Amino acid sequence: MPAFDLPLTELERHRPDLAEPADFDAFWLSTLKEAGQADPLVSVRPVETGLRLTRTWDVTFRGFAGDPVRAWFSRPAGVDEPLPAVVEFAGYGRGRGLPHERLTWVNAGYAHLLMDNRGQGDQYGCGGETPDPHAGAPGGPGPAVRGLLAPEDYHYRRLITDAVRAVSAVRVLPGVDAGRIVAAGNSQGGGVALAVAGLVPDLAAVLVTAPLLCGIRRALDLTDAGPYGEIAAYLSVHRGAEHEAYRTLSYVEGISFARRASAAAHFGVGLRDTVCPPSGVYGAFNLYGELAGTEARKEIHAYPFNGHEGGDAVHVRRQLGWVAGVVGGVA
């Protein structure tokens, strides 16, 4: 796919106007207040993985509405001191998979929590184990359109709340330095990590790669790929539902979360990405920290000839060096 979005010189200046609801902050404050009334952890159970250099636990924590959410928590074996933790959010249609699948961060010396995606896990990878008991509102079968006609019912209200609660959970797990928490993710996971950065004021850093949910209205005009295509397909059948859908989507717009974030931020984007168009990524980056009251440390890396894979392992190498500089590194 050739480059299809704005030229890089325009992307670097792109600051989109937002149709942000007046009660955006009140909506999320109320949602998170309700979810935060109980202690986050339900259970922490050690598991045998066959890996001698990594210790792993099967964690269950309370997410949206107190629902049990599964996660893998891993640490380097033989290390006792509190470590900075990377909380990772998986991509669209994926679950947490198997505990030996994602070892980059624990091999780099960090504690690592990989959150399961509620009601997902059946499209890629090795599955998930967290149901979504609130998925009965009108909408299509895919997560991007579940409950699309009302913000209170929308799937991403629940998933983002789970993600905020995952940060609360990791902070009380053994051997975690609660003051050095990093949120990370690619694609849907990147959009969710960005939402966490906007909702958790004392996050240390955020790693955002090819984030979904950024510049949603423009993305719906640019692409039929991936989750945005599911939304367009739903609206092609439910003619006249655009107003309700756009209103719901405005409450999960990643650029709105980015404006409120203050953690140090590292972005990555492929300029030929038709799944998560680059104008949404740059909109979030350029407006990142705008409402935080202090200038946030941030940087972005663009890959002109790459699509949704972005910089792949090259970008991960950049993330490793950057995070070590931000959170002080690990022993």
Side-chain angles (χ1 to χ4, degrees), residues 50-72:
L51 302 175
R52 293 187 296 108
L53 303 182
T54 300
R55 297 179 64 198
T56 299
W57 292 260
D58 186 349
V59 170
T60 302
F61 67 91
R62 294 180 178 89
F64 177 86
D67 297 337
V69 179
R70 305 290 289 277
W72 296 124

Side-chain angles (χ1 to χ4, degrees), residues 299-315:
E299 64 181 62
I300 188 168
H301 296 273
Y303 302 91
F305 294 96
N306 290 96
H308 197 52
E309 79 282 7
D312 207 358
V314 170
H315 190 68

